[in-house]
Structures are given as structure tokens and as C-alpha cells.
């Protein structure tokens, strides 16, 4: 009896490990290849032509703000200086309890206007719509609404916008000035593109002035630095490959560009999940499949959006907890997709990949660990075997990290300081032991909390780009 | 594989070997990547340094040659001396040639007039056009496209026939680059390729072509109505949007036929074009076809907007009025805006309608009368 | 001795404009390669003329105009030199206080004439 159980668990874990390793290798290879192709093609692009063209599609930048009083003025100023002609900035004040709105009104000379807003997607009531009397801020609109969470705020933006495309962003992100020019390009090249996602990079320790990135630096804080590597791996190796396969399921909530019409027809953001960014992409894709319309979800590997990463284990744990819950909620809402050939690559490849290797992996890793401890207790561990296996896994992880650094080096080459490369190698060596186990634990905790019925976003304390103050994000 | 799962020490050693080999292989590959990254950084730095020295030197000479020649009479000997120095430099390495070409291209982008002609002349005098032509002859698609781009930027017209061959290339970038090069180089008939073009014209290409056309002599632009009857819908859409953008009123007589086009994108763009060209004479044609638009909200929106711009008789205004109770909000809203802005009579019609309907449109009317939302 | 500030992120262009303006003996030409540098130079010096691109890193040319007119409260003549000649942009530039607008590609000779006029030479 014991032997059979031992055998089965062993086989399953082994199979799991082999398949995950092989998929990572394949994804990495596709990514490296695609990255080269992208860089080559891009050599010929002059984005300034979009800038001066009357044919550039209109874009609404939608930025929900909740208790952002500390940085809101700088954030809005930086959004207003983005390089694009036909665009507007819509700040949604999601019932902030602080002085967000009170600060915006005098700073931008705002007055209430009579805007005939339609609730195409049902949302919490809007209290007022503000425009600036100063022509220099003509592009700005501030919508004041009752608190309803991020998804609800984004839906108000979708309802408000009259432009072809909507860019949904986090208000405290630093958006590169040419970000819209680059993100809009896939829509111009292929009319079936319904969404395009960008890369999110980590801004901790970078020099920022007036909401603009002045100098790029590796974070000093170790936890943030770990995430730099994590993000490079996820964005340059993972999503690059998925977009090539047209199987991208997640466009980061920090910065994504969508066809407004499709997003509305699919029903807008779902305010019942904490993973509303992924859920929207999956639903839009599902909608297109069900309408039998050809579509593509594009992806731009250029570093266009910089965000402050959680710098303490406590805050990071809340973020990962939320991500785990969001992933599970999205997967469970759309469980119909699981190995469903009707949904093409998404059903047969992307969804199962997310299910097995993103959602399930913390469980597998944890089970493996428990299993191992049991074996140790029973004195059944073959130590040479165990150590050699661990070494192989460790070297594999290191290899994947180095591959992502290679992708970064041959493309955007952002961490230019000579010593940074050695710092990154050091991180890659420490990460699997020091950082990864905690991430696994937080994900498990997230799933546990979900079963207990936790719905909130968790308290999120941010240091803000204004480093000397801190503020509280109270649960919504 | 499954049978090999270790149970005994003997089997395990074979596994252990495999694991250790794998570990070593991955580690070695990782180290290899690191080495590659370091070398790449080193060579990048090196190249950048060389490039910037070359660039600075070349820019100084270029300034003197371009600016002086347009301002004062410079002795020919001085010009020849500078040219010879540059020629020697260009002969030394392909890096030098590339830097020079890049610099010519970059300056040409912001300079026009007689100074710009000097840049084109320099390109030939320094034999750099040969360098670009060689790229087209051999090399990867990327090199080819790069060569085409350079020749186009620096206005080397004799290359037209060489470039024309790539219009049908399998490589998308190469195809697009050659099309754009033709648009820029072929002064006489920049868009002649449209006559028999069967491919697609993406919005991206439209932006690029429009950009180049807008920088060229407006009098030499073709009448875009020429392609309104093309069997390639992309060509029709393209020429319609160009006719609109360049305000070619010569296109107006041909627009009526396109109003009833089966492709709704074309019909919609036609309505937009009519509005932009303010072709009042077509307002009656539109009111005649009005029933065909009702079921499609996008066409209805464009129709009311168009009539709002060009309508003048009561019939036109009543046509818009009918759309005030369209089932789609966007259509209703645009109808409100169209009537509100058309003239006093139309505005009164709108207000009367709203009163009859117990103020159902008051929100939209307040919206369109809000000065800060204009 | 006149002092002219040229802001553009295109170094080749700056170098050419600088050369042209000094050939015409208009005075000293100071360069700024981005909006931040331009702002700093403007805060610390008095210029007789400013030539600026619109799209530059950190601060746009239009922000520079607003800064000069509203913060520094100076009447220094400003020429906007931009590849983007959309009607709306040109109108906005004049509206906030630019004195002239030249679309790229431009002729250096024409620029020189316009500079001369604004400097009342």
C-alpha cells in the first residue's frame, strides 16, 4: 500500500516537473526568437508619424484613483504630457476618503459640467464630472463617483469614453512618454487586434521627478530587487511567447490598451473578482470566439510602464495573496474553456497552462515538500538522489533567469550600470532559496483565504513615489 | 520513463548521473549566456564610442558644407578638399559609411529647401548611394529594407526600378518599405502602384503614406477619385480617406455612388468625407437613401453627423429629427448635437421635440450646449 | 551680444542650427537636449530668443513656453520648431504665447530670417 502511494506521488511529481521544464524551455526559445524579430522590424518604425497623423485613433486613458491625494497632482501632470495627439485623460475618483478630489479641483481649475453619461455597463452612481477652465488642460476629465472598487471605476471610464481605444492604467504608474505610440501600433497593423498589453517594470530606487522617470536604477531593497528579475522573466520570456502563439490571457492591470467597443460588448470589467485585469482579457477573447470573429491580443515588449513594487514582505504577501485569488476566480468563472477545442489556443493551451503551471504549482510544490518531510521522518530519503535532483532544478532555474537577462540585454538593455549584471546574477542565485518559497506560501494562503470567502483587495500600504511620506489604502 | 523512477539504489545512481549532467549542462549554458552578455556590453560600448567620434567629426564638416554653400560663395577648392577627406574616411570602414548615411538621413528629416538638396548631392558624391544599393543586392531582408529606406530618405530616384521589384516580396517589412520608397521617390506618379494593387493597406501604411504625401508638392497629388471604383476595398478606403484629408473637392461627384456601397466601412467613410468636404450639393442624395442607414447604428451616427454639417433645407433637418428616437444612444446623441449646431431653426425643432417628449433628451441637450465639452 | 537658447533632442539638428546662427553673427547659442535642461537654463539665465522643439524628454516645448510666460513672466520671443504641424497644435502653441511656429523639415535660411525679425536686427 505504502509503496503504491509512494510510486504514484513520485510519478506525478516527476511528470509535472518534466512537462513544466519543457514548456518553460519552449516558451523561452519562442520568446528569444520573437524578441529578435520584433527588434528587427521595429528598426523601420518611425513613431513620430503616428504623432503628427490625423489618422491616429482616439485613445482615452482611464486611471482610477482611490486615496491618491499625496501624489495625484504629479500623476495627472505626467499623464497629460504623454506623446499622442488624439487622446484624453479620464481620472476616476473612486469615492476617495482623502483629499484626492479637493486637490484636483484647484490644481487644474476644474468645474462641474453637464455630461450626459450613460450607464452602458452598470456601475455605482457618478456624483459629478469635472472639466478644466484652463485650455492647457483640455484633455483632462475628472469623474467623481461613489466607491465601488477598481473594476467599477474602470467601467465608469468605459461608459464615459467616446474614443475607439481605451488605455486602462494605474494612476500611480510612470508611463513612458511614447507608450501610447508604441501600444497603438499593433491596432494599426492588424484590424483584428482587440487588446494590447505592455511590460511593467519596477521603479523602486529609480530617480523620479514630477512623475517622470529620470534615471533607471536597480532597487536597493532586496525584496524589490528580487521582483525585478521576476518581472523580466515573466514579461520578456513568458508573455512574449504567449503573444506569438496568440494565447495571451493576462494584460497587466497597470497598463493595457483595449478596443472600447469589444470591451463593452464583452460586458466590461467584472467587479466581483480581484483579478479583473485577467478576467476582462479572457472574457473579451471568449466573446470573440463565441461570435466567431477573428481576433488577436497583441503584446509590446518595450518597457513602457514603471510601477512601485511592494518593498516589504508583508505588503508583497497581500499582493500575491490577491493575485492567487484573482487567478483562481478567473479560472473558475471560465472553467468552460478547460481543454475546450472550441476556444482554440486559449482553450487547449493557455487555459490549461494557467491551471496547471500557474495556479496549481504552489500546491504541487507544497505537496512535494510535505512528502519530502514525511520521507525524511521515515528515513526513506535517498540523499544523493535528492541532492542531485535539487541541483538540477536549481541550475535549471538559474538558466531560465539568465535567459531572461539575455533577452533583456539583446533588446532594451535598461540596467546599464556595469555592476548591475553581477547583482542580477546574485539575485538569480539567491531567489530560488530565499524568495520563491515565500511566494509559494503566499499563493497558498490566497487560495485558503478565497475558500474562507475573502473578497477584499487587502490593505495596501504604498510608500508612494514621494518617498518620505506614506499613506494608507483602506480596503474597499 | 515511468519504470525508471528510482526505487533502489542501483537504479538511482543512473538517475543521479542524469541529474548531474543536466545540472552541469544548464549551469554551463547559463554561464555561456552571462559571458555573451558581458562581451556584448563590451563591444556595444566600443562601437558606441567609435560611432560618436565619427559622428561628431562628420557633423562638423557637414554643417560647414551645408550651411556655407547656401549662404556665401565658398571657393570650390575648399569644398573639394572637404569632400576628399570625407571620401577617404568613408573608404576606411563600413561603420564610417553607415554613420555618414545615418547622419545624412537624420539631418535631412529636419531640413528642407536648398540645404536639403546639398545633402542629397553629398550622398551621391561620397558614393554612399552605392553602399545602400549594395545592401539591396545582397544581405538579409533587414539589410535590403535598410538600403531601400536610405535611398528613399535621400531621394535617389534612379533606384526606383530596383526597388519596385520588392513590392511583391513575401516579407512584410520589405514590402512596406518598398511601397513607401516608391511613394517618396516617384515624383510623377507616386501612387501608380494602386492601379493594380491587390494587397492590403493597413492604417499604419495609410499613416506613413499620408505623412510623405503631405510633405510633398500638393499640386502633384493625383485625383484620388481615380481609385474609387477599384475592386480592392482597401484601395477604395485608402483613396477616400486621402481625398478627405487633402480636401479634394474634385472627388465630390464620385461620392454619390459610394453612398450605397455594400461595404459599410466604405459607406461610412463616404459620409465622413462628404461632411469634411462640406459637399452641400449631396445633402439631398443622403436624405433619399436615409432608410438604408437606419438599421446600422454606425452608419446612422455618421449620417446624422454628416447632415448636421451639410444640411440646409427643412427636409434635411426633419431627416435628422427622425433619428432622435433611434434605439441606439450614440445615434440619438449625435442627432441632438447635429440639430443643436446646425442653425436656429434646427435647434428650435430639437427643443420642440424634446418638449413634446417630456424632456427625454434634456440630458443630451445640456451636454451639447456645455461650452467646456466642445 | 545676444543669447539664444536652442532646445531639441536631435543633436544633429542643434549642431546645424547653432552653426547657422553663429554664421549669421546673431550671438551666443546655448543648447539644451531635453526639457529639463532647458528649464534649468531658462531659470538661471536671460535669453534674447528661444527656439524649441515640441516633443522632448521630460518637458515638452509647450510646457517650456508656459513656463517662460507664466512662471518666469518673461516676454522672450519663442520660436517653436516641430515636426508636428497639426492645426490644433499650432493654434495651441500661439495661444499659450509662442511667437512663431516652423514645421520640420525647415529651411535653415528661413529660420535665420525669422530669428532676425524677432530679434529686431
Amino acid at each position: 500500500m505504502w509503496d503504491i502511494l509512494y510510486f504514484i506521488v513520485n510519478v506525478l511529481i516527476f511528470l509535472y516537473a518534466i512537462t513544466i521544464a519543457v514548456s518553460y524551455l519552449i516558451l523561452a526559445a519562442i520568446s528569444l526568437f520573437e524578441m529578435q524579430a520584433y527588434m528587427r522590424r521595429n528598426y523601420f518604425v518611425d513613431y513620430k508619424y503616428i504623432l503628427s497623423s490625423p489618422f491616429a485613433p482616439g485613445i482615452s486613458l482611464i486611471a482610477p484613483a482611490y486615496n491618491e491625494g499625496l501624489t495625484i497632482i504629479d500623476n495627472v501632470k505626467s499623464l497629460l504630457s504623454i506623446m499622442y495627439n488624439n487622446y484624453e485623460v479620464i481620472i476616476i475618483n473612486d469615492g476617495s476618503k482623502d483629499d484626492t478630489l479637493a486637490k484636483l479641483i484647484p490644481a487644474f481649475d476644474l468645474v462641474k459640467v453637464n455630461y450626459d453619461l450613460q450607464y452602458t455597463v452598470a456601475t455605482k452612481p457618478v456624483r459629478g464630472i469635472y472639466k478644466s477652465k484652463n485650455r492647457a488642460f483640455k484633455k483632462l476629465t475628472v469623474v467623481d463617483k461613489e466607491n465601488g472598487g477598481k473594476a467599477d471605476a474602470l467601467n465608469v471610464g468605459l461608459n464615459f469614453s467616446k474614443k475607439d481605444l481605451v488605455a486602462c492604467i494605474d494612476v500611480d504608474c510612470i508611463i513612458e512618454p511614447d507608450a501610447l505610440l508604441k501600444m497603438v501600433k499593433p491596432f494599426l497593423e492588424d484590424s483584428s487586434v482587440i487588446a494590447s498589453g505592455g511590460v511593467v517594470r519596477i521603479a523602486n530606487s529609480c530617480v523620479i521627478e514630477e512623475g517622470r522617470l529620470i534615471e533607471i536604477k536597480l532597487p536597493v531593497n532586496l525584496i524589490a530587487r528580487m521582483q525585478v528579475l521576476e518581472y523580466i522573466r515573466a514579461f520578456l520570456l513568458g508573455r512574449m511567447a504567449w503573444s506569438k502563439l496568440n494565447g495571451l490571457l493576462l494584460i497587466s492591470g497597470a497598463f493595457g490598451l483595449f478596443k472600447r467597443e469589444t470591451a463593452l460588448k464583452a460586458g466590461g470589467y467584472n467587479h466581483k473578482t480581484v483579478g479583473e485585469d485577467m478576467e476582462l482579457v479572457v472574457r473579451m477573447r471568449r466573446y470573440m470566439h463565441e461570435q466567431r470573429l477573428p481576433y488577436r491580443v497583441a503584446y509590446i515588449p518595450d518597457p513602457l510602464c514603471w510601477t512601485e513594487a511592494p518593498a516589504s514582505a508583508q505588503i508583497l504577501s497581500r499582493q500575491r495573496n490577491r493575485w492567487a485569488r484573482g487567478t483562481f476566480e478567473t479560472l473558475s468563472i471560465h472553467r468552460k474553456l478547460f481543454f475546450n477545442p472550441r476556444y482554440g489556443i486559449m482553450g487547449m493551451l493557455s487555459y490549461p497552462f494557467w491551471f496547471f503551471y500557474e495556479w496549481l504549482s504552489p500546491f504541487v510544490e507544497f505537496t512535494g515538500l510535505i512528502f519530502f518531510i514525511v520521507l525524511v521522518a521515515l528515513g526513506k530519503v535517498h540523499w544523493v538522489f535528492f541532492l542531485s535532483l535539487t541541483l538540477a532544478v536549481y541550475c535549471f532555474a538559474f538558466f531560465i533567469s539568465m535567459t531572461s537577462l539575455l533577452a533583456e540585454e539583446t533588446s532594451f538593455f535598461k540596467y546599464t550600470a556595469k555592476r548591475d549584471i553581477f547583482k542580477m546574477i546574485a539575485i538569480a542565485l539567491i531567489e530560488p532559496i530565499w524568495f520563491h518559497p515565500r511566494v509559494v506560501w503566499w499563493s497558498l494562503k490566497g487560495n485558503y483565504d478565497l475558500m474562507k470567502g475573502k473578497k477584499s483587495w487587502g490593505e495596501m500600504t504604498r510608500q508612494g513615489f514621494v518617498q518620505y511620506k506614506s499613506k494608507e489604502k483602506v480596503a474597499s | 520513463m515511468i519504470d525508471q523512477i528510482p526505487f533502489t539504489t542501483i537504479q538511482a545512481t543512473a538517475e543521479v548521473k542524469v541529474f548531474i549532467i543536466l545540472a552541469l549542462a544548464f549551469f554551463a549554458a547559463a554561464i555561456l549566456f552571462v559571458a555573451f552578455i558581458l562581451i556584448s556590453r563590451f563591444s556595444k560600448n566600443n562601437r558606441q564610442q567609435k560611432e560618436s567620434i565619427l559622428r561628431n567629426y562628420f557633423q562638423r564638416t557637414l554643417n560647414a558644407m551645408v550651411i556655407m554653400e547656401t549662404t556665401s560663395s565658398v571657393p570650390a577648392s575648399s569644398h573639394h578638399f572637404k569632400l576628399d577627406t570625407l571620401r577617404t574616411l568613408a573608404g576606411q570602414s563600413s561603420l564610417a559609411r553607415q554613420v555618414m548615411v545615418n547622419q545624412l538621413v537624420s539631418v535631412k528629416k529636419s531640413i528642407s529647401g536648398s540645404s536639403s538638396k546639398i545633402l542629397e548631392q553629398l550622398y551621391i558624391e561620397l558614393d554612399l548611394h552605392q553602399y545602400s544599393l549594395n545592401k539591396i543586392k545582397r544581405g538579409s531582408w533587414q539589410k535590403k529594407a535598410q538600403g531601400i529606406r536610405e535611398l528613399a530618405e535621400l531621394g535617389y530616384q534612379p533606384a526606383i526600378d530596383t526597388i519596385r521589384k520588392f513590392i511583391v516580396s513575401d516579407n512584410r517589412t520589405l514590402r512596406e518599405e518598398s511601397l513607401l520608397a516608391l511613394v517618396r521617390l516617384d515624383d510623377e506618379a507616386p501612387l501608380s502602384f494602386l492601379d493594380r494593387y491587390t494587397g492590403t493597406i493597413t492604417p499604419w501604411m495609410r499613416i506613413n503614406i499620408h505623412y510623405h504625401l503631405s510633405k510633398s508638392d500638393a499640386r502633384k497629388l493625383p485625383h484620388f477619385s481615380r481609385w474609387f471604383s477599384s475592386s480592392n476595398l482597401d484601395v477604395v478606403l485608402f483613396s477616400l480617406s486621402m481625398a478627405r484629408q487633402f480636401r479634394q473637392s474634385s472627388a465630390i461627384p464620385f461620392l454619390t455612388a459610394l453612398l450605397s456601397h455594400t461595404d459599410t466601412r466604405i459607406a461610412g467613410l463616404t459620409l465622413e468625407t462628404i461632411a469634411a468636404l462640406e459637399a452641400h450639393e449631396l445633402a439631398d442624395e443622403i436624405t433619399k437613401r436615409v432608410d438604408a442607414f437606419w438599421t446600422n447604428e454606425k452608419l446612422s451616427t455618421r449620417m446624422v453627423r454628416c447632415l448636421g454639417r451639410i444640411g440646409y433645407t427643412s427636409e434635411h433637418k426633419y431627416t435628422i429629427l427622425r433619428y432622435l428616437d433611434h434605439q441606439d444612444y450614440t445615434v440619438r446623441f449625435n442627432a441632438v448635437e447635429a440639430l443643436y449646431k446646425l442653425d436656429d431653426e434646427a435647434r428650435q425643432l430639437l427643443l420642440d421635440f424634446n418638449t413634446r417628449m417630456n424632456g427625454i433628451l434634456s440630458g443630451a441637450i445640456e451636454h451639447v450646449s456645455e461650452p467646456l465639452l466642445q | 551680444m545676444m543669447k539664444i537658447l536652442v532646445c531639441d533632442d536631435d543633436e544633429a539638428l542643434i549642431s546645424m542650427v547653432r552653426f547657422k546662427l553663429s554664421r549669421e553673427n546673431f550671438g551666443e547659442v546655448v543648447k539644451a537636449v531635453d526639457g529639463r535642461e532647458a528649464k534649468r537654463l531658462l531659470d538661471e539665465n536671460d535669453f534674447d530668443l528661444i527656439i524649441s522643439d515640441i516633443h522632448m524628454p521630460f518637458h515638452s516645448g509647450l510646457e517650456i513656453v508656459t513656463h517662460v510666460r507664466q512662471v518666469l513672466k518673461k516676454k522672450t520671443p519663442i520660436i517653436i520648431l516641430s515636426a508636428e504641424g497639426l492645426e490644433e497644435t499650432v493654434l495651441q502653441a500661439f495661444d499659450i504665447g509662442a511667437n512663431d511656429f516652423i514645421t520640420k523639415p525647415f529651411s535653415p535660411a528661413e529660420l535665420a530670417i525669422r530669428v532676425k525679425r524677432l530679434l529686431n536686427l
Side-chain angles (χ1 to χ4, degrees):
Chain A
M1 179 59 200
W2 166 249
D3 273 353
I4 292 171
L5 186 72
Y6 178 77
F7 178 77
I8 290 173
V9 173
N10 240 343
V11 168
L12 283 180
I13 289 183
F14 199 73
L15 266 182
Y16 187 83
I18 295 274
T19 50
I20 201 170
V22 171
S23 3
Y24 273 38
L25 283 177
I26 294 173
L27 288 176
I30 296 175
S31 291
L32 282 180
F33 183 80
E34 187 55 18
M35 185 65 94
Q36 282 301 309
Y38 176 82
M39 297 308 283
R40 285 211 186 109
R41 280 198 305 271
N42 227 33
Y43 171 88
F44 296 96
V45 180
D46 196 335
Y47 289 100
K48 287 200 169 160
Y49 291 174
I50 305 181
L51 197 56
S52 55
S53 181
F55 296 113
I59 300 179
S60 296
L61 263 174
I62 305 175
Y66 182 68
N67 292 356
E68 306 276 354
L70 209 62
T71 52
I72 190 77
I73 305 293
D74 273 354
N75 295 150
V76 173
K77 274 189 182 157
S78 118
L79 291 179
L80 285 172
S81 68
I82 281 176
M83 289 207 277
Y84 199 82
N85 258 308
N86 190 1
Y87 88 107
E88 62 176 347
V89 176
I90 308 171
I91 306 292
I92 315 283
N93 177 37
D94 190 22
S96 296
K97 296 191 180 94
D98 71 349
D99 54 356
T100 304
L101 187 66
K103 278 199 166 156
L104 282 169
I105 290 176
F108 295 99
D109 217 352
L110 299 175
V111 285
K112 225 176 194 172
V113 294
N114 294 313
Y115 192 101
D116 192 26
L117 185 72
Q118 298 299 300
Y119 291 81
T120 314
V121 178
T123 62
K124 286 276 169 63
V126 166
R127 296 192 284 230
I129 291 174
Y130 297 82
K131 292 290 288 183
S132 174
K133 283 191 282 184
N134 185 340
R135 271 195 62 183
F137 306 125
K138 204 169 167 253
K139 290 184 155 86
L140 177 68
T141 303
V142 175
V143 180
D144 183 35
K145 69 180 276 286
E146 284 175 18
N147 182 274
K150 195 178 169 196
D152 196 61
L154 287 166
N155 282 336
V156 169
L158 283 176
N159 286 339
F160 178 89
S161 168
K162 290 185 192 294
K163 310 255 184 203
D164 293 338
L165 302 174
V166 287
C168 298
I169 62 164
D170 283 348
V171 75
D172 50 6
C173 275
I174 308 279
I175 305 286
E176 294 273 346
D178 56 354
L180 289 182
L181 297 175
K182 289 188 167 160
M183 290 279 277
V184 83
K185 174 102 188 313
F187 292 90
L188 300 173
E189 284 181 314
D190 180 351
S191 56
S192 69
V193 171
I194 56 168
S196 78
V199 174
V200 177
R201 292 284 184 113
I202 286 168
N204 301 43
S205 303
C206 290
V207 183
I208 288 148
E209 280 173 26
E210 296 176 44
R212 290 179 180 85
L213 195 65
I214 310 269
E215 196 188 339
I216 295 162
K217 284 183 175 169
L218 262 185
V220 179
N221 175 293
L222 206 55
I223 286 184
R225 201 182 276 182
M226 293 285 159
Q227 293 170 77
V228 169
L229 186 68
E230 209 188 5
Y231 275 43
I232 291 181
R233 232 170 24 216
F235 283 102
L236 293 190
L237 287 191
R239 295 193 196 173
M240 191 78 215
W242 282 113
S243 82
K244 174 69 186 164
L245 299 169
N246 196 14
L248 195 65
L249 290 194
L250 173 59
I251 285 177
S252 166
F255 190 32
L257 191 57
F258 304 90
K259 240 181 212 166
R260 186 177 59 95
E261 202 190 348
T262 316
L264 279 176
K265 279 192 176 150
Y269 282 95
N270 182 343
H271 53 83
K272 290 196 180 110
T273 167
V274 289
E276 78 292 325
D277 46 1
M278 178 175 177
E279 206 279 333
L280 178 73
V281 179
V282 175
R283 201 145 33 80
M284 281 171 75
R285 297 187 68 123
R286 235 183 114 164
Y287 170 81
M288 294 306 276
H289 270 289
E290 283 158 8
Q291 301 292 313
R292 296 182 190 282
L293 296 166
Y295 74 92
R296 243 166 56 73
V297 174
Y299 174 77
I300 297 296
D302 301 63
L304 299 177
C305 171
W306 298 75
T307 185
E308 187 213 2
S312 81
Q314 197 195 6
I315 301 164
L316 184 66
S317 76
R318 283 183 210 140
Q319 182 198 48
R320 296 309 158 98
N321 183 308
R322 202 176 68 235
W323 285 6
R325 282 180 286 140
T327 304
F328 181 74
E329 282 168 347
T330 305
L331 291 176
S332 93
I333 293 170
H334 298 284
R335 57 187 169 276
K336 191 182 168 192
L337 302 179
F338 192 63
F339 282 119
N340 187 338
R342 231 189 108 194
Y343 295 96
I345 290 278
M346 171 168 62
M348 299 304 285
L349 223 55
S350 310
Y351 187 103
F353 183 92
W354 269 87
F355 180 80
F356 287 116
Y357 301 142
E358 298 283 345
W359 178 71
L360 197 65
S361 79
F363 293 96
V364 175
E365 285 181 51
F366 189 70
T367 318
L369 188 70
I370 300 290
F371 188 56
F372 174 69
I373 291 170
V374 172
L375 290 189
V376 172
L378 295 171
K380 280 217 169 200
V381 175
H382 185 314
W383 284 100
V384 178
F385 175 82
F386 167 73
L387 287 174
S388 63
L389 177 63
T390 310
L391 187 70
V393 171
Y394 183 76
C395 287
F396 180 76
F398 182 60
F399 167 76
I400 291 287
S401 292
M402 290 304 111
T403 315
S404 66
L405 286 191
L406 183 72
E408 158 80 359
E409 179 73 20
T410 52
S411 53
F412 307 109
F413 186 48
K414 282 293 179 190
Y415 296 98
T416 42
K418 277 199 182 94
R419 281 159 65 199
D420 284 354
I421 179 84
F422 296 106
K423 286 180 187 163
M424 295 287 259
I425 293 172
I427 295 167
L429 289 170
I430 309 169
E431 194 215 6
I433 314 162
W434 189 78
F435 185 67
H436 185 70
R438 295 204 249 179
V439 173
V440 170
W441 175 245
W442 294 326
S443 301
L444 286 174
K445 185 82 180 6
N447 280 288
Y448 174 74
D449 288 348
L450 187 73
M451 280 186 290
K452 278 194 346 194
K454 185 173 175 178
K455 275 269 157 58
S456 87
W457 266 61
E459 208 162 290
M460 180 98 172
T461 314
R462 277 195 184 247
Q463 287 173 312
F465 288 122
V466 180
Q467 291 290 344
Y468 51 88
K469 286 181 188 168
S470 72
K471 62 173 172 167
E472 287 271 303
K473 270 208 169 184
V474 187
S476 48
Chain B
M1 186 73 89
I2 291 164
D3 317 20
Q4 288 174 15
I5 299 301
F7 285 108
T8 67
T9 325
I10 303 140
Q11 266 177 330
T13 47
E15 294 290 337
V16 166
K17 260 188 209 160
V18 173
F19 289 146
I20 288 179
I21 289 168
L22 275 178
L24 286 176
F26 283 128
F27 192 74
I31 296 299
L32 205 70
F33 284 174
V34 172
F36 181 87
I37 292 172
L38 291 176
I39 293 168
S40 136
R41 284 200 171 190
F42 180 74
S43 66
K44 250 185 225 166
N45 277 340
N46 222 341
R47 201 185 141 94
Q48 265 168 9
Q49 266 173 17
K50 271 191 205 158
E51 252 183 55
S52 92
I53 294 169
L54 277 169
R55 198 165 41 227
N56 288 336
Y57 175 78
F58 186 57
Q59 185 62 45
R60 274 200 300 277
T61 325
L62 201 60
N63 287 342
M65 292 178 95
V66 174
I67 299 293
M68 305 258 257
E69 290 212 21
T70 52
T71 49
S72 51
S73 52
V74 183
S77 59
S78 145
H79 180 73
H80 281 295
F81 174 72
K82 280 182 190 130
L83 212 55
D84 284 337
T85 328
L86 287 181
R87 225 176 253 146
T88 324
L89 190 64
Q92 280 170 0
S93 68
S94 68
L95 179 70
R97 285 193 288 275
Q98 190 60 55
V99 169
M100 286 184 184
V101 173
N102 289 350
Q103 207 67 1
L104 285 174
V105 168
S106 129
V107 174
K108 177 108 193 302
K109 274 190 181 159
S110 38
I111 300 279
S112 69
S114 51
S115 311
S116 144
K117 287 281 168 257
I118 296 172
L119 295 170
E120 292 178 10
Q121 227 172 301
L122 264 177
Y123 181 55
I124 299 171
E125 282 177 337
L126 291 172
D127 233 15
L128 292 169
H129 65 297
Q130 212 52 52
Y131 173 66
S132 305
L133 282 168
N134 281 340
K135 282 189 193 163
I136 301 184
K137 269 185 210 136
R138 48 191 95 88
S140 58
W141 69 259
Q142 195 198 2
K143 281 273 169 223
K144 285 192 170 76
Q146 208 182 349
I148 293 174
R149 169 66 71 93
E150 290 162 4
L151 290 161
E153 295 273 12
L154 291 159
Y156 187 71
Q157 285 173 328
I160 290 180
D161 288 325
T162 320
I163 295 172
R164 205 183 294 278
K165 282 181 277 185
F166 293 100
I167 291 190
V168 288
S169 161
D170 291 333
N171 184 289
R172 180 177 180 163
T173 310
L174 196 47
R175 208 165 53 224
E176 294 182 348
E177 278 307 310
S178 51
L179 280 181
L180 290 176
L182 289 180
V183 170
R184 305 174 73 175
L185 290 176
D186 196 343
D187 277 346
E188 290 316 307
L191 294 167
S192 55
F193 74 92
L194 287 176
D195 292 341
R196 277 172 311 251
Y197 190 64
T198 52
T200 55
I201 303 177
T202 59
W204 172 240
M205 283 302 279
R206 192 185 295 180
I207 286 172
N208 278 271
I209 296 175
H210 173 258
Y211 179 84
H212 296 311
L213 290 179
S214 68
K215 300 281 170 197
S216 68
D217 187 353
R219 283 165 303 178
K220 283 189 174 170
L221 286 177
H223 291 293
F224 287 98
S225 50
R226 236 178 96 177
W227 295 286
F228 283 179
S229 49
S230 166
S231 56
N232 185 343
L233 295 186
D234 268 12
V235 170
V236 182
L237 284 167
F238 171 80
S239 37
L240 256 174
S241 56
M242 290 299 144
R244 180 187 68 181
Q245 215 52 50
F246 290 111
R247 304 191 173 276
Q248 285 191 338
S249 44
S250 62
I252 295 174
F254 304 92
L255 290 171
T256 319
L258 291 179
L259 274 177
S260 351
H261 203 285
T262 45
D263 190 288
T264 52
R265 286 173 308 165
I266 291 181
L269 189 54
T270 307
L271 285 164
E272 281 176 14
T273 310
I274 292 172
L277 296 177
E278 298 186 13
H280 298 277
E281 60 267 45
L282 295 185
D284 288 334
E285 294 293 336
I286 294 173
T287 35
K288 257 190 246 167
R289 289 173 172 74
V290 82
D291 294 324
F293 300 130
W294 183 272
T295 47
N296 183 319
E297 62 266 23
K298 276 184 191 157
L299 281 182
S300 300
T301 303
R302 290 193 169 86
M303 200 281 299
V304 292
R305 279 160 77 150
C306 179
L307 272 186
R309 286 281 291 279
I310 63 165
Y312 53 95
T313 66
S314 309
E315 197 197 344
H316 302 152
K317 290 164 201 166
Y318 276 103
T319 308
I320 306 176
L321 194 74
R322 278 172 55 193
Y323 281 75
L324 287 177
D325 46 27
H326 195 277
Q327 70 273 20
D328 185 81
Y329 172 76
T330 313
V331 178
R332 289 199 302 275
F333 178 82
N334 278 284
V336 168
E337 189 170 31
L339 285 171
Y340 191 86
K341 289 181 179 165
L342 187 56
D343 60 16
D344 291 341
E345 186 198 347
R347 190 178 289 189
Q348 200 52 52
L349 278 177
L350 168 70
L351 296 175
D352 292 345
F353 178 89
N354 189 43
T355 321
R356 277 203 307 282
M357 303 302 281
N358 303 319
I360 195 169
L361 293 171
S362 298
I365 293 172
E366 274 174 26
H367 183 154
V368 297
S369 57
E370 176 67 62
L372 288 176
L373 290 172
Q374 305 313 313
Chain C
M1 185 74 176
M2 296 283 194
K3 217 167 154 191
I4 301 172
L5 178 69
V6 182
C7 336
D8 201 305
D9 51 350
D10 179 354
E11 298 246 18
L13 179 122
I14 286 194
S15 142
M16 189 146 288
V17 169
R18 219 176 170 181
F19 190 89
K20 176 73 186 170
L21 297 180
S22 28
R23 287 287 308 168
E24 301 278 340
N25 289 320
F26 286 152
E28 185 194 351
V29 180
V30 182
K31 68 162 187 173
V33 292
D34 60 47
R36 209 158 46 114
E37 199 180 346
K39 247 188 187 174
R40 188 177 53 78
L41 286 166
L42 282 164
D43 288 346
E44 292 165 4
N45 304 277
D46 279 321
F47 289 96
D48 298 291
L49 180 90
I50 301 158
I51 300 174
S52 175
D53 187 11
I54 291 190
H55 294 289
M56 296 180 291
F58 308 125
H59 301 293
S60 77
L62 299 180
E63 284 179 74
I64 299 292
V65 178
T66 317
H67 184 72
V68 172
R69 296 284 183 262
Q70 292 185 1
V71 181
L72 302 176
K73 304 211 184 295
K74 283 184 185 167
K75 291 202 167 91
T76 322
I78 304 175
I79 302 178
I80 293 290
L81 186 59
S82 168
E84 190 210 300
L86 288 175
E87 192 187 5
E88 200 192 321
T89 317
V90 180
L91 292 181
Q92 197 190 355
F94 280 111
D95 194 38
I96 61 175
N99 300 69
D100 206 344
F101 196 107
I102 304 181
T103 321
K104 287 182 198 170
F106 69 99
S107 140
E110 189 189 324
L111 176 72
I113 292 285
R114 288 178 189 261
V115 169
K116 202 170 167 181
R117 189 180 53 109
L118 283 174
L119 289 175
N120 296 318
L121 289 174

